[in-house]
Amino acid sequence: LDVADIGCGDGYLTLEMARWARTVVGIDRSEPVLERAEALAARRRVTNVRWMKGDLARLPLPDASIDVALLSQALHHATDPEGAVAEAARILRPGGRLLVLDLREHDQTWVRTRFGDQRLGFTDAALEALLQSAGLRDTRVQVGARHAGDPFVVLIASSMKSPTQPF
């Protein structure tokens, strides 16, 4: 499979996906972050990853070029989550999957100033609607991680691009 890790950060998850993927493209908007990711890949001798500078709203990949697109902890940073999901759907091949790992809605407003979060997470229904609004189908949303006393719950959402939907 050809995979895109959108908002890849330092690349740890990108390199884990490289173990089973044919190719992985790690995309992030920060040049210093991409440099750290590339250095980590070099230290681990991973050769099937390309690193590209890009924004969630304008991915540097052609239409229908990816089998699996991953947005891990990126959507709550997006100024336009709908546009980011639509852009991820654009790069998916027909039958491709979008995976989203993001925070469930919470009340921890301090993350806005400390981490630049644009949203305080998503409700399950809002995340599902977001994926469906991009024309994706077979959407599933479930809790991926929850710890007692922790205000942050991780949701995992999965959707598929129709096998007959070209773009």
Side-chain angles (χ1 to χ4, degrees):
L1 297 173
D2 297 313
V3 179
D5 186 1
I6 304 166
C8 66
D10 289 335
Y12 290 99
L13 191 53
T14 314
L15 297 180
E16 289 302 316
M17 290 185 291
R19 293 177 183 224
W20 52 264
R22 177 175 47 198
T23 63
V24 182
V25 179
I27 302 168
D28 204 278
R29 66 180 176 189
S30 169
E31 198 69 47
V33 166
L34 287 170
E35 289 171 7
R36 288 194 302 271
E38 195 167 4
L40 179 64
R43 284 193 307 275
R44 293 188 179 179
R45 295 185 174 95
V46 176
T47 60
N48 61 334
V49 176
R50 287 184 305 149
W51 305 99
M52 300 180 82
K53 186 173 181 181
D55 190 80
L56 298 176
R58 288 184 316 206
L59 298 173
L61 294 171
D63 294 350
S65 59
I66 295 295
D67 298 301
V68 176
L70 173 69
L71 284 159
S72 178
Q73 301 301 330
L75 271 185
H76 65 267
H77 292 286
T79 54
D80 177 16
E82 294 83 5
V85 170
E87 187 65 358
R90 178 190 65 79
I91 66 169
L92 285 176
R93 291 183 176 122
R97 286 229 169 246
L98 173 59
L99 299 175
V100 176
L101 284 71
D102 218 298
L103 298 175
R104 182 180 266 171
E105 191 173 57
H106 59 83
D107 62 359
Q108 303 298 302
T109 58
W110 59 269
V111 298
R112 291 186 190 277
T113 53
R114 183 152 181 213
F115 300 115
D117 291 17
Q118 298 294 312
R119 298 179 63 101
L120 299 178
F122 300 87
T123 65
D124 300 33
L127 190 53
E128 182 175 1
L130 195 59
L131 275 59
Q132 290 175 344
S133 72
L136 300 172
R137 62 184 213 177
D138 298 332
T139 302
R140 294 183 186 96
V141 178
Q142 62 189 37
V143 172
R146 176 190 320 214
H147 299 287
D150 188 340
F152 301 108
V153 173
V154 176
L155 295 176
I156 299 175
S158 170
S159 261
M160 184 178 82
K161 187 173 193 174
S162 170
T164 58
Q165 182 183 353
F167 304 110

